[in-house]
Amino acid sequence: MKTTSLVVTIIIMLVGNGMKTQAQSAGNGKKILIAYYSLRNGNTRIVAEHIQKNTGGDIFRIETVNTYPAEYRAVTEQAKKELETGYRPALKNNIPDFGQYDIIYLGSPNWWNTIAPAVFIFLESYNFKGKTIVPFITHEGSRLGASVSDIRKLVPEATVLQGLPIRGSAVADAMPDVQKWLKDLEMIK
């Protein structure tokens, strides 16, 4: 009976250690945050939630204090003015222990060829030195635009990967592409 208990204990320890190693290998043992800004129909949110499900990272919705208009044309005109003037909207929430994260998946809609103003202020609000940023951008034809180069300018001490453009109107069909992208990055759990 003691031998059986010892064998069971050893098997449990081996299986437990194997599971721990597997969990740590997702994201190479690094702490992952999925931060995203999503408006209107939630395309960027849908992608963020899919990334979270597949990486096991923490998820954070970037929200502005003041809401944008509900009508599409009004939103695009407001966004254009904000980007032209360098306006940064106040954010509603923050991440208390941002320093714990190594890899940040950063989601934004493509607004006038770049990231939304809320994402600009998010990037300006934290220390990204030594962190890896993995952008994912929803769009309706403009793909990544200047988003990645604009992110690199804002956080030059971070490593910014090329990222993934996802057509907003086809987001439901894009999940296999997102999953392949995560697998190629070796970030899937």
Side-chain angles (χ1 to χ4, degrees):
M1 182 138 158
K2 284 185 177 182
T3 306
T4 305
S5 295
L6 180 61
V7 170
V8 169
T9 302
I10 290 170
I11 290 171
I12 290 170
M13 288 174 57
L14 289 173
V15 170
N17 284 340
M19 292 170 87
K20 185 176 180 183
T21 303
Q22 184 181 15
Q24 288 176 343
S25 68
N28 298 321
K30 307 237 181 205
K31 186 80 173 160
I32 296 172
L33 173 69
I34 301 98
Y36 71 95
Y37 178 74
S38 192
L39 191 62
R40 300 184 39 78
N41 54 10
N43 291 326
T44 310
R45 176 191 50 81
I46 292 167
V47 177
E49 289 171 352
H50 188 72
I51 292 169
Q52 193 278 329
K53 178 180 151 195
N54 283 277
T55 64
D58 296 335
I59 195 159
F60 176 78
R61 181 176 179 192
I62 301 167
E63 296 180 81
T64 57
V65 171
N66 297 319
T67 58
Y68 282 85
E71 198 269 316
Y72 178 75
R73 176 61 108 193
V75 170
T76 61
E77 290 306 313
Q78 182 173 334
K80 184 176 185 178
K81 287 176 190 169
E82 290 178 358
L83 290 165
E84 287 173 347
T85 62
Y87 174 78
R88 300 294 189 256
L91 298 181
K92 187 185 288 190
N93 47 8
N94 64 10
I95 303 169
D97 192 11
F98 182 78
Q100 71 177 313
Y101 296 103
D102 305 296
I103 300 168
I104 295 91
Y105 285 88
L106 184 63
S108 176
N110 184 326
W111 282 4
W112 296 99
N113 205 41
T114 191
I115 53 179
V119 178
F120 273 99
I121 192 66
F122 174 82
L123 290 167
E124 294 166 349
S125 299
Y126 297 96
N127 181 358
F128 283 86
K129 184 177 182 177
K131 300 198 183 292
T132 299
I133 299 173
V134 189
F136 58 100
I137 307 296
T138 55
H139 67 90
E140 284 307 328
S142 51
R143 303 191 50 80
L144 293 171
S147 298
V148 174
S149 60
D150 288 344
I151 293 168
R152 286 186 177 128
K153 287 175 195 169
L154 282 169
V155 288
E157 295 179 325
T159 300
V160 181
L161 303 184
Q162 182 56 32
L164 180 70
I166 305 116
R167 185 175 286 274
S169 59
V171 77
D173 298 327
M175 293 311 128
D177 295 334
V178 174
Q179 209 150 352
K180 181 185 179 320
W181 175 65
L182 292 169
K183 190 172 183 178
D184 290 348
L185 291 171
E186 298 180 3
M187 297 294 190
I188 204 162
K189 66 179 183 175

